[in-house]
Amino acid sequence: MLEIEIDGKKTTVAPGSTVMDAARALGVHIPHFCYHKKLSIAASCRMCLVEVEKAPKPLPACATPVTAGMVVKTHSNAAVTAQKGVMEFLLINHPLDCPICDQGGECHLQDIAVGYGAGESRYREEKRIVPNKDLGPLITTEMTRCIHCSRCVRFTEEVAGYQELGLAHRGEHSEVMPFLGKTVNSEISGNVIDLCPVGALTSKPFRYTVRAWELSRRKSIAPHDGLGSNLIVQVKNHKVMRVLPLENEAINECWLSDRDRFSYEALNSASRATKPQVKKDGQWIETDWQSALELVAGKLKDTVAAHGRDSVAALATPNSTVEELFMLRKLMAGLGVEQVETRLRAADFRLHTAGATWLGQSIAELAQSDAVLVIGSNIRKEQPLLAQRLRQSAKRGMKLSVLNPARYDLLAPLAGELIVRPDQMVEALLTVLKAACEAAGKTAPAHIDLSSIEVCDASRSIAATLTAHSAILLGNLAAHHPRYAELHAAAAALAELSGAKLGVMSEAANTVGAQLIGAETSGNLFASPKKALILLNAEVQFDCHNATEALAAVRAADFVVALNPFADGVKDYADVILPVAPFTETSGTFVNMEGRAQSFNGVVRPLGETRPAWKVLRVLGNVLGFNGFDYESSEAIRDEALAGDIAPRLSNALKAPVAVKAQAASGLVRLGEVPLYQLDALTRRAPALQATADAAEPALRANAATLAGLSLKAGDSACAAQAGGKALLCVREDTTLPDGVIHIAGSHPLTTGLGGLFAPVTVERAG
Amino acid sequence: MTVYVKGIVFENVDFDLPRCWSIDQYIQRGGYAALKKIVAEKIAPEAVIEEVKASGLRGRGGAGFPTGLKWTFLPKGYVGQKYLVCNTDEGEPGTFKDRDILAYNPHAVIEGMILAAWATGATVGYNYIHGEIFELYQQFEAAIEEARAAGFLGDNILGSSFSFQLHAHHGYGAYICGEESALLESIEGKKGQPRYKPPFPAVVGLYGKPTIINNTETFASIPWILRNSGQEFQALGKPNSGGTKLFSVSGHVNRPGNYEIPLGTPFAELLDMAGGMRGGKKLKAVIPGGSSAPVLPADIAMNLTMDFDAIAKAGSMLGSGAVIVMDETVCMVKALERLSYFYFEESCGQCTPCREGTGWLYRIVHRIEHGEGRPEDLELLASIGDNIAGRTICALGDAAVLPVRGMLKHFRDEFEYHIANKRCLVG
Ligand SMILES: Cc1cc2nc3c(=O)[nH]c(=O)nc-3n(C[C@H](O)[C@H](O)[C@H](O)COP(=O)(O)O)c2cc1C
Ligand code: SF4
Ligand code: FES
């Protein structure tokens, strides 16, 4: 340890620390622009110049290593003179258009200028003007304001994993720009808005809406993927205006995915339902809550009475809150109905685990693994920030391998890769298991049949990376797989054998919470016809594994009540629409993939007559005359729903063995990924996200050989057909796919005519 | 024009011989004898470094850092890849010596690098050659091939277990790529931008590995030192300025060119060698060490000896040895405008004081030159200079300020005249 004195305060720091590190530890603020704790050191803005005893010149705190006995002065004459000099340089070419700048009020340059700038400028030459750049639908530019700190450039390269911005040209002509004709397309690109210390990069959707100081800041939790990013939701006049990260090193660090950052736009969308509505003779009629709830209560009670309890079921999305799901389950229990399901995109319900499936460890622990094998996940699109963490770990030497149905680019160094058809993922995993068995001289559990499995080099090298300090992770493509139980069982056996931890990266914000309260009881609800259905937040055409089957089921039902913030998605098949609050308009709790329960409050009041779903369900219980429906608050519900420690109720261990056996591949198989911005109702309605490259229309994608076999070429139109339905799509070549794989995204209006996400598919040229 | 007066780099070189650069000619001049001796006698690397230290050789690239000492900065006991880099980026206005070394005596550089490799344990070297001298880059490649064919370069040099690979690499003409760490970035295929130091290249250099980087003339001096002795080299010059040096004399002289002379030679003698002032005009000022060295007025210059200490004492620097001679017709405001424009255009732009300050300096001088000067401009120039110098990542910031300071110190009256009268004092 090295001793250092800064502004008279003494501390000791580890060798290799910089003066900036030491100052931060001491709570001494040194002005800075280019320095950022998560980025490499550029030492280029020179704002952090400080006086160091015995050094002939002021030194940049961010880049100067601490040496023993160093004495630093951050506010001495010499230091302040140097800092003021730099500030003057930064301001001479800066437009000083603060009154019309979106960054006004939250601008580092403005803040520091107040302390260090001169009242009047000595610069009387012409100011530089820099042309703006098109960075895509999320980020707007005012490049004349850029102070060349290069934070955005370093972010895209170092954190997002792929350099999408650069500092082109030299000297005064230096400009931050994307590559020629390209925009910034990273799934975590919006972070450059936070990183930009000035108003050069600002949020496009937010632009010119309000001034930063008019906004109040409220904490919340992201409702999308299983990470549970912590949010600051900024609000004006009961409207969400912007979402920013709330730093939480254990979860999202200081970042947000674009999905978490920009989905708020949907909250203010015109398709929000603001009043209860009932369909009468095919016409939608607005009504009051009391009548609507009485109607619903009556229908449900009557259906159960007339057709038995199995004729009624409830479907909820796994980003419904703990409180909502608990009340839904309780209401169903009151009616005697057992079928409550949140695993809407699952196709295999054979798996029974000893507890709620989860990451198997904390996110922070996972990042420290020696090796990670990801099975069935386009992880950058499923869990953008978790992918970012693993990328940083892989750069530090963690061995990252993947077993996937397409060669997704993780923008991280890979130690091993097995890319196979979706219907051969189990078999591929078995090769790794067999390799691990051979290496360890052990045999697999009896329920796993390895007799026909042939080990290959790739599986051997992946197996070799797995040690006691590693992890095997199952992603959404595994969870949605028709043989998920087998994947999980084989992965569990591999984990057992290698000592690795098995983890499940939960698809949605509350996938773990839903399991904890048992809102996943029935398996495939559509296996038998239903007379009445309750849909909580669910738009079955987008949220279910098999869109055709789901749509047929809701259409066949006599009565469908949809509790949903939006009317347009459910209008086709619902009989009653009850407008319920999205996450910003209700209190609630999500349990993230690491089993962490995170409660949040409503940040704005519900829109129109919207009500929190937990309250709606409580009143329904009251109308039905059930006991135990008198909760005063969502906290009371949560305390009952999650009573006791969560940790002991998390487990990926199999309760009963699942028979795993190799099957042969045949014909064409669909790879039905859920696109990044089709995940849930909010993302589907966020206009800026819908304008990104990731939201491009689904196409029929296949590799060149597969296309040739079908006599198709890129640009053709083709008709894809699956049991019961079809879709007309444009054909594209995709070199990342194995032979025989037809990539057709699910959860999208263009593909709701199709069936299972990983089911066989036939393809014909259209027209 | 290259003129050998007394020295070591061009000793015995017959500039008129078309293939004086070739290996046969070099060997005839005693080339590769030092290498043969060191390999045959297995002279310890430490002993080689000691000899270089004893020579008093100081870096010829501008900073004048003692070469032997620099070589000892490689991490002790380090096992793994080390690199050697020769800096032939030569972009400083007024400097044109290194290209003549490559033109007439490239094997001295090659042998110097091989010897340095022996001394430092580097196994791979690069010579980074300025983009505008492409023919010399090609010729250097040919010279490398000759050395390799003769067994001086490559695997198992002269049958020993010592191996060293040398590659030529050409830049595209950015001045900043002559700054050692920008040069390394450029070799790595990145934008030529200086790195913050520490860590210095000797510790974290090319591809993150320990790297010794020296100027072309520095390397070209090594064979002579090891063939003769450090002491003899030292004795050629002055204390603290050992040896001889190439001076690139340009400007208003009758015979501009490179002059190899002992360090400590009076400037007046050098001016004579260069044929004296052109057209019999009066000497007005001299920039003694490349465009970044502060200008010195004639009276100081005429009493100056050309060595590190004397020039520093006079308030300027020996730098790369580029001597720019200006006669009485030169307008110092115009001269500074040109100089400032160069640094403004060549700033890499990463650090704030240099990116913003060099343009500001240039614009003010430009205004003064064009009759739009303001009384407060001279104070402002000095103050901007103070805010740049010593506060940047690399020395380009200082290089931009020093000419301004020199001009304001010695020719302030001309600037004041320009501002007051909106015209030139000179013409
Ligand atoms: C802006 C700038 C440009 C430079 N250009 C050159 C150059 O063209 N050639 C050179 O040898 N050194 C140049 N240098 C100096 C190098 O950084 C370095 O000090 C030198 O190559 C070391 O070699 P030496 O010790 O043999 O002099 C430059 C330095 C700066 C700051
Ligand atoms: S001083 Fe100038 S040239 Fe050197 S790093 Fe800074 S901006 Fe680049
Ligand atoms: S913060 Fe240290 S140089 Fe920019």
Side-chain angles (χ1 to χ4, degrees):
Chain A
M1 297 299 273
L2 300 168
E3 194 162 297
I4 181 174
E5 182 185 315
I6 303 181
D7 295 346
K9 298 183 200 170
K10 284 201 168 105
T11 187
T12 51
V13 293
S17 306
T18 62
V19 172
M20 183 70 88
D21 296 332
R24 287 166 59 93
L26 276 173
V28 172
H29 179 75
I30 299 175
H32 60 267
F33 292 110
C34 67
Y35 168 82
H36 189 276
K37 62 183 175 195
K38 295 281 181 188
L39 302 175
S40 65
I41 301 291
S44 61
C45 76
R46 318 307 280 180
M47 192 63 220
C48 67
L49 290 173
V50 293
E51 183 186 350
V52 176
E53 249 180 48
K54 298 201 196 85
K57 310 183 283 190
L59 297 176
C62 68
T64 302
V66 171
T67 54
M70 195 178 236
V71 177
V72 176
K73 292 176 188 143
T74 72
H75 286 94
S76 64
N77 251 345
V80 172
T81 307
Q83 292 159 6
K84 284 190 165 163
V86 171
M87 195 66 212
E88 178 177 40
F89 286 134
L90 284 171
L91 292 177
I92 62 171
N93 274 306
H94 192 78
L96 298 174
D97 57 347
C98 310
I100 57 150
C101 175
D102 253 6
Q103 194 86 356
E106 50 184 11
C107 173
H108 296 218
L109 189 67
Q110 202 177 34
D111 293 348
I112 300 179
V114 170
Y116 294 87
E120 200 186 323
S121 174
R122 300 195 290 172
Y123 187 75
R124 308 207 0 224
E125 323 304 321
E126 220 167 278
K127 285 198 182 223
R128 156 175 84 220
I129 289 174
V130 186
N132 288 334
K133 314 287 182 290
D134 176 12
L135 301 186
L138 305 179
I139 304 159
T140 195
T141 69
E142 202 63 66
M143 293 319 293
T144 303
R145 297 180 187 141
C146 170
I147 58 165
H148 304 85
C149 70
S150 81
R151 280 178 169 194
C152 56
V153 173
R154 283 175 285 149
F155 174 84
T156 62
E157 188 173 358
E158 298 166 11
V159 182
Y162 178 66
Q163 194 186 357
E164 292 192 286
L165 290 169
L167 258 168
H169 309 312
R170 254 189 349 217
E172 229 192 62
H173 316 295
S174 299
E175 285 179 51
V176 168
M177 54 170 74
F179 287 92
L180 286 180
K182 299 274 165 63
T183 51
V184 174
N185 294 336
S186 161
E187 63 283 353
I188 56 174
S189 70
N191 292 299
V192 300
I193 297 167
D194 301 338
L195 286 172
C196 181
V198 294
L201 306 179
T202 53
S203 162
K204 210 173 238 182
F206 176 69
R207 191 172 204 212
Y208 296 148
T209 50
V210 278
R211 309 296 307 194
W213 56 84
E214 298 175 66
L215 295 168
S216 42
R217 299 159 68 88
R218 314 253 161 90
K219 291 184 192 178
S220 192
I221 302 297
H224 307 295
D225 59 47
L227 198 78
S229 289
N230 292 194
L231 309 179
I232 291 174
V233 180
Q234 295 198 306
V235 169
K236 187 192 172 192
N237 296 338
H238 284 280
K239 194 168 161 198
V240 173
M241 304 304 293
R242 183 166 67 165
V243 169
L244 299 174
L246 174 63
E247 190 166 338
N248 185 340
E249 196 55 29
I251 300 176
N252 51 307
E253 305 168 76
C254 54
W255 313 124
L256 274 191
S257 66
D258 288 353
R259 189 163 54 193
D260 292 346
R261 182 186 300 271
F262 294 106
S263 67
Y264 76 88
E265 277 195 291
L267 299 166
N268 310 319
S269 116
S271 56
R272 282 289 300 273
T274 52
K275 274 190 168 177
Q277 305 171 43
V278 214
K279 190 151 49 181
K280 269 213 182 101
D281 309 323
Q283 290 291 81
W284 282 102
I285 296 166
E286 288 185 349
T287 178
D288 61 285
W289 273 102
Q290 188 62 27
S291 333
L293 291 179
E294 277 170 11
L295 172 73
V296 171
K299 284 279 187 190
L300 294 176
K301 209 158 116 184
D302 294 349
T303 309
V304 174
H307 303 283
R309 58 188 201 171
D310 286 345
S311 68
V312 178
L315 275 76
T317 58
N319 54 6
S320 308
T321 64
V322 162
E323 293 78 356
E324 290 164 356
L325 294 172
F326 180 80
M327 292 305 288
L328 179 65
R329 205 170 161 220
K330 189 157 181 166
L331 184 79
M332 292 296 107
L335 286 163
V337 171
E338 273 175 359
Q339 305 192 68
V340 180
E341 191 51 79
T342 49
R343 292 168 296 175
L344 306 186
R345 291 202 181 103
D348 181 359
F349 302 92
R350 289 176 292 160
L351 180 72
H352 297 283
T353 48
T357 57
W358 68 303
L359 194 60
Q361 56 189 320
S362 74
I363 292 162
E365 283 165 344
L366 173 69
Q368 298 302 319
S369 305
D370 292 340
V372 169
L373 167 60
V374 172
I375 301 170
S377 177
N378 186 355
I379 185 167
R380 274 176 55 210
K381 310 295 168 172
E382 293 174 14
Q383 315 284 355
L385 288 181
L386 191 66
Q388 182 277 136
R389 275 233 187 185
L390 294 180
R391 175 177 307 130
Q392 303 313 324
S393 302
K395 282 202 276 186
R396 284 195 303 267
M398 184 191 83
K399 297 195 178 76
L400 181 60
S401 314
V402 294
L403 189 170
N404 264 331
R407 188 165 281 110
Y408 302 117
D409 193 350
L410 271 71
L411 303 177
L414 287 187
E417 197 177 33
L418 278 171
I419 307 299
V420 295
R421 295 165 50 108
D423 56 2
Q424 291 299 295
M425 284 169 62
V426 173
E427 290 66 26
L429 182 52
L430 292 182
T431 68
V432 182
L433 179 60
K434 189 161 183 173
C437 286
E438 287 176 1
K442 291 188 181 152
T443 50
H447 60 102
I448 300 181
D449 178 359
L450 294 176
S451 56
S452 63
I453 298 299
E454 277 179 43
V455 174
C456 63
D457 285 347
S459 46
R460 242 178 242 114
S461 63
I462 290 174
T465 65
L466 298 174
T467 60
H469 198 221
S470 50
I472 301 171
L473 300 179
L474 294 159
N476 293 359
L477 298 175
H480 301 166
H481 197 278
R483 292 165 71 199
Y484 172 55
E486 290 175 70
L487 283 171
H488 190 112
L494 182 60
E496 176 79 34
L497 201 75
S498 58
K501 288 200 173 80
L502 176 62
V504 177
M505 298 180 284
S506 40
E507 174 178 11
N510 200 30
T511 302
V512 174
Q515 299 175 72
L516 287 174
I517 54 182
E520 30 91 77
T521 47
S522 66
N524 186 1
L525 292 168
F526 305 129
S528 63
K530 296 287 171 283
K531 293 286 179 199
L533 284 165
I534 302 181
L535 309 178
L536 174 58
N537 291 321
E539 296 171 327
V540 298
Q541 67 277 38
F542 301 132
D543 290 323
C544 292
H545 179 85
N546 186 326
T548 326
E549 181 190 57
L551 276 171
V554 288
R555 286 189 180 130
D558 293 340
F559 180 71
V560 177
V561 52
L563 285 75
N564 205 300
F566 302 99
D568 55 343
V570 293
K571 270 199 156 144
D572 269 0
Y573 46 75
D575 298 287
V576 177
I577 299 174
L578 303 176
V580 296
F583 79 109
T584 43
E585 298 169 21
T586 176
S587 51
T589 305
F590 294 138
V591 183
N592 80 351
M593 63 170 82
E594 56 179 355
R596 185 192 297 253
Q598 302 191 96
S599 295
F600 51 90
N601 289 318
V603 296
V604 291
R605 68 174 169 240
L607 185 72
E609 289 181 26
T610 297
R611 288 197 193 170
W614 64 268
K615 286 191 182 167
V616 172
L617 293 163
R618 184 192 64 189
V619 178
L620 262 178
N622 295 336
V623 174
L624 284 161
F626 297 154
N627 281 333
F629 277 77
D630 33 36
Y631 300 97
E632 295 275 318
S633 66
S634 68
E635 286 80 5
I637 302 175
R638 177 197 61 203
D639 293 347
E640 189 178 327
L642 297 179
D645 242 1
I646 290 180
R649 287 182 276 155
L650 303 169
S651 172
N652 297 322
L654 272 63
K655 217 154 55 178
V658 176
V660 186
K661 194 169 177 346
Q663 294 177 14
S666 77
L668 298 176
V669 63
R670 177 177 175 196
L671 171 52
E673 253 179 80
V674 177
L676 178 58
Y677 300 135
Q678 290 296 122
L679 180 72
D680 51 44
L682 283 183
T683 30
R684 291 192 285 264
R685 289 177 175 81
L689 292 178
Q690 290 307 321
T692 62
D694 269 309
E697 274 191 357
L700 187 152
R701 300 176 173 275
N703 70 17
T706 309
L707 288 182
L710 291 163
S711 308
L712 287 172
K713 58 180 190 321
D716 288 350
S717 290
C719 183
Q722 284 182 303
K726 43 178 87 175
L728 188 66
L729 295 158
C730 183
V731 175
R732 299 235 185 283
E733 187 187 327
D734 189 335
T735 54
T736 68
L737 298 171
D739 289 346
V741 176
I742 304 292
H743 186 295
I744 304 175
S747 301
H748 193 279
L750 282 186
T751 62
T752 48
L754 290 172
L757 294 173
F758 297 90
V761 60
T762 56
V763 176
E764 265 173 37
R765 180 198 295 274
Chain B
M1 191 177 67
T2 308
V3 181
Y4 171 77
V5 179
K6 179 176 184 193
I8 57 128
V9 171
F10 287 137
E11 195 181 38
N12 299 324
V13 173
D14 179 353
F15 301 110
D16 297 328
L17 205 69
R19 285 181 56 82
C20 73
W21 63 271
S22 69
I23 196 163
D24 318 337
Q25 292 294 317
Y26 182 65
I27 290 173
Q28 262 186 33
R29 297 193 294 265
Y32 290 114
L35 176 64
K36 284 182 192 153
K37 178 173 132 202
I38 278 170
V39 172
E41 297 175 16
K42 297 200 171 68
I43 295 182
E46 298 75 30
V48 174
I49 296 182
E50 277 314 307
E51 203 58 44
V52 175
K53 276 190 182 166
S55 75
L57 174 64
R58 294 174 58 172
R60 302 310 197 211
F65 194 85
T67 304
L69 183 61
K70 187 189 269 189
W71 293 3
T72 63
F73 289 164
L74 289 167
K76 304 273 171 302
Y78 171 90
V79 248
Q81 184 66 56
K82 285 181 259 184
Y83 292 104
L84 205 59
V85 173
C86 175
N87 187 343
T88 315
D89 195 47
E90 196 166 57
E92 178 99 338
T95 315
F96 43 84
K97 62 186 181 69
D98 294 337
R99 65 171 175 193
D100 273 4
I101 298 176
L102 289 200
Y104 301 117
N105 203 11
H107 282 285
V109 180
I110 295 173
E111 188 186 4
M113 291 188 76
I114 302 169
L115 293 167
W118 173 279
T120 58
T123 55
V124 177
Y126 294 88
N127 186 7
Y128 188 100
I129 301 171
H130 198 58
E132 275 93 333
I133 49 173
F134 195 74
E135 295 77 14
L136 293 179
Y137 159 79
Q138 288 173 315
Q139 179 178 302
F140 192 77
E141 293 237 291
I144 288 178
E145 282 316 312
E146 287 182 333
R148 197 172 283 142
F152 298 131
L153 196 57
D155 291 332
N156 304 104
I157 291 170
L158 297 170
S160 71
S161 61
F162 165 51
S163 300
F164 177 62
Q165 313 298 335
L166 178 59
H167 309 282
H169 184 105
H170 78 81
Y172 283 88
Y175 169 61
I176 194 60
C177 288
E179 194 282 338
E180 55 188 15
S181 58
L183 185 153
L184 298 179
E185 289 280 300
S186 177
I187 295 183
E188 289 180 12
K190 303 178 189 149
K191 186 177 178 187
Q193 277 190 344
R195 300 175 183 167
Y196 181 75
K197 288 155 282 217
F200 289 93
V203 182
V204 181
L206 189 60
Y207 301 111
K209 305 290 183 204
T211 301
I212 290 297
I213 172 160
N214 279 116
N215 171 255
T216 319
E217 187 184 351
T218 311
F219 279 124
S221 307
I222 302 294
W224 194 96
I225 291 170
L226 297 177
R227 199 158 65 227
N228 300 281
S229 74
Q231 220 165 11
E232 282 166 76
F233 181 86
Q234 168 66 63
L236 286 171
K238 280 177 68 173
N240 207 26
S241 286
T244 56
K245 168 96 187 76
L246 280 162
F247 287 95
S248 306
V249 184
S250 65
H252 301 136
V253 293
N254 280 312
R255 280 198 304 274
N258 283 317
Y259 293 82
E260 184 169 24
I261 55 172
L263 282 166
T265 304
F267 167 75
E269 281 180 32
L270 179 59
L271 184 58
D272 268 353
M273 292 174 208
M277 296 302 295
R278 200 165 64 190
K281 294 254 168 45
K282 244 175 76 190
L283 176 70
K284 179 173 186 179
V286 178
I287 296 176
S291 63
S292 54
V295 68
L296 296 175
D299 54 333
I300 297 182
M302 290 308 282
N303 290 310
L304 195 64
T305 55
M306 301 304 284
D307 57 85
F308 288 101
D309 292 347
I311 302 182
K313 218 171 127 209
S316 187
M317 58 192 204
L318 183 127
S320 56
V323 181
I324 303 170
V325 178
M326 296 185 259
D327 72 17
E328 56 196 327
T329 66
V330 172
C331 165
M332 292 318 228
V333 181
K334 177 105 192 142
L336 183 60
E337 187 199 11
R338 285 287 174 85
L339 291 167
S340 294
Y341 184 73
F342 175 79
Y343 291 102
F344 160 53
E345 270 303 315
E346 296 293 337
S347 162
C348 87
Q350 65 174 322
C351 55
T352 308
C354 175
R355 179 185 63 246
E356 306 294 339
T358 51
W360 196 359
L361 288 177
Y362 163 68
R363 288 191 175 90
I364 294 172
V365 180
H366 177 83
R367 263 201 294 102
I368 300 174
E369 168 65 15
H370 289 82
E372 291 165 29
R374 304 188 188 111
E376 65 274 19
D377 279 345
L378 300 188
E379 284 320 305
L380 191 53
L381 282 175
S383 162
I384 296 167
D386 291 346
N387 283 341
I388 299 174
R391 308 216 177 134
T392 52
I393 288 184
C394 84
L396 190 141
D398 304 275
V401 172
L402 292 174
V404 177
R405 285 187 177 160
M407 288 292 186
L408 291 185
K409 180 169 168 196
H410 296 295
F411 298 98
R412 195 178 180 95
D413 52 339
E414 268 190 52
F415 285 78
E416 283 169 347
Y417 186 90
H418 250 276
I419 292 173
N421 301 291
K422 318 260 176 244
R423 57 176 282 269
C424 197
L425 185 65
V426 193

